[in-house]
Amino acid sequence: MKKLDVFIKELTEIFGQRLKSVFIYGSTAKLADSELCGNVNLMVITDVLAGEDLKKVSASAKKWCGGSLFDRSRNPEPVFMGEEEWANSADVYAMEYADIKENHRVVYGEDPVCYINVTGENLRLQCERETKNLLMRFRSHYLLFANDYRKLQTSIVPVIKSCNAIFKTVLRLKGIAIPSSPYEVLDKIHDLTPVDKDFYEKLLCRKEKHCKMNRKETYEIADKTVQELDKLLKYINNL
């Protein structure tokens, strides 16, 4: 991917020997450079990271991200961290680090991921916290937009995206390999937990824009979302 090569070259010009590592994480980490065409999550590790560093690299980062939000070749904003911050964040971002350990590819410098240890307890605690926060956010949105079903619909799609990350964490805690498809993840979770598989499949269908919801269906889904997230939270609390 020529765009990635250009960005790394500019990073080395800006940081010099201070640039320690650049790696791709997430689903695109398994793709070859020639297959990368956008939506590439990138982590940049430097020795330390000051505000002035962000100013220096801002123009290069904007070029790396690309065009509008609707541009398929657009990349998410790269994540920058100092070495010490990266090493000390595995307890706070246990879910993210666990996913990075399984899905990353170094494209410059050393591999800082191999030294990271994600404990089961930190993973479970963040999983519980994320599930609780998701439930609280959805309740709050429901409270504010209970009389506007179209606005209520906007809070439904983010639920399944967050739940997929939570489901994968539960599988990791159980020592089960993570499938690539969210439907396969749901199949394995359904075998372990009391979640309603049909309900989450409806959310996936809505997320992928294959399904539409009318007013009645929106409120049925919203009510069920509160129930299912509460059920999931209780299960994780007892892990």
Side-chain angles (χ1 to χ4, degrees):
M1 186 183 186
K2 185 177 180 181
K3 192 174 183 180
L4 177 59
D5 293 336
V6 170
F7 186 45
I8 292 174
K9 181 176 183 295
E10 291 178 352
L11 289 173
T12 59
E13 291 172 349
I14 292 168
F15 291 102
Q17 293 185 343
R18 294 179 55 212
L19 182 64
K20 300 302 179 181
S21 179
V22 181
F23 61 86
I24 300 169
Y25 64 93
S27 58
T28 55
K30 297 178 181 179
L31 300 177
D33 288 351
S34 59
E35 298 176 294
L36 297 175
C37 57
N39 198 31
V40 178
N41 291 297
L42 211 60
M43 179 76 72
V44 180
I45 308 295
T46 60
D47 56 351
V48 292
L49 188 64
E52 60 187 27
D53 292 323
L54 298 176
K55 183 178 180 180
K56 290 176 182 176
V57 80
S58 176
S60 296
K62 285 181 180 178
K63 284 193 296 182
W64 162 252
C65 291
S68 70
L69 294 174
F70 303 101
D71 185 351
R72 291 187 178 181
S73 65
R74 178 179 170 80
N75 296 304
E77 292 80 1
V79 178
F80 283 79
M81 282 192 184
E83 280 184 299
E84 186 176 358
E85 179 188 5
W86 162 260
N88 292 337
S89 298
D91 54 346
V92 180
Y93 298 118
M95 289 173 61
E96 292 82 358
Y97 275 47
D99 189 67
I100 287 173
K101 282 179 73 70
E102 292 184 13
N103 300 286
H104 79 282
R105 178 163 64 89
V106 176
V107 291
Y108 176 88
E110 60 194 51
D111 184 358
V113 180
C114 61
Y115 304 109
I116 293 297
N117 178 39
V118 179
T119 69
E121 181 57 19
N122 285 334
L123 198 57
R124 194 205 67 78
L125 282 172
Q126 189 189 356
C127 186
E128 181 181 357
R129 182 170 61 251
E130 293 294 327
T131 308
K132 180 65 174 177
N133 287 341
L134 182 61
L135 175 58
M136 296 298 288
R137 288 196 305 271
F138 186 81
R139 282 175 176 163
S140 178
H141 200 89
Y142 199 169
L143 178 68
L144 293 176
F145 301 110
N147 296 314
D148 188 337
Y149 83 96
R150 294 188 185 279
K151 286 187 178 179
L152 188 57
Q153 284 180 351
T154 64
S155 64
I156 291 175
V157 169
V159 167
I160 191 59
K161 184 177 180 180
S162 297
C163 280
N164 188 54
I166 292 166
F167 290 161
K168 290 194 293 184
T169 301
V170 171
L171 294 180
R172 286 192 180 99
L173 287 167
K174 290 291 187 178
I176 299 173
I178 311 297
S180 58
S181 164
Y183 288 96
E184 293 176 355
V185 170
L186 183 55
D187 284 339
K188 290 185 178 293
I189 281 293
H190 180 250
D191 294 336
L192 286 175
T193 72
V195 301
D196 186 329
K197 181 181 176 182
D198 291 339
F199 165 74
Y200 284 103
E201 284 181 339
K202 287 180 182 177
L203 293 189
L204 281 169
C205 184
R206 170 69 181 177
K207 176 180 178 294
E208 296 169 356
K209 299 181 180 179
H210 299 315
C211 306
K212 294 183 178 180
M213 294 183 292
N214 58 31
R215 187 179 188 281
K216 181 176 182 291
E217 290 168 332
T218 298
Y219 286 111
E220 289 174 350
I221 290 290
D223 292 341
K224 186 71 172 178
T225 298
V226 174
Q227 177 185 345
E228 284 297 314
L229 289 179
D230 184 62
K231 188 191 301 182
L232 180 61
L233 180 61
K234 290 176 180 175
Y235 173 83
I236 295 170
N237 185 58
N238 291 321
L239 280 176

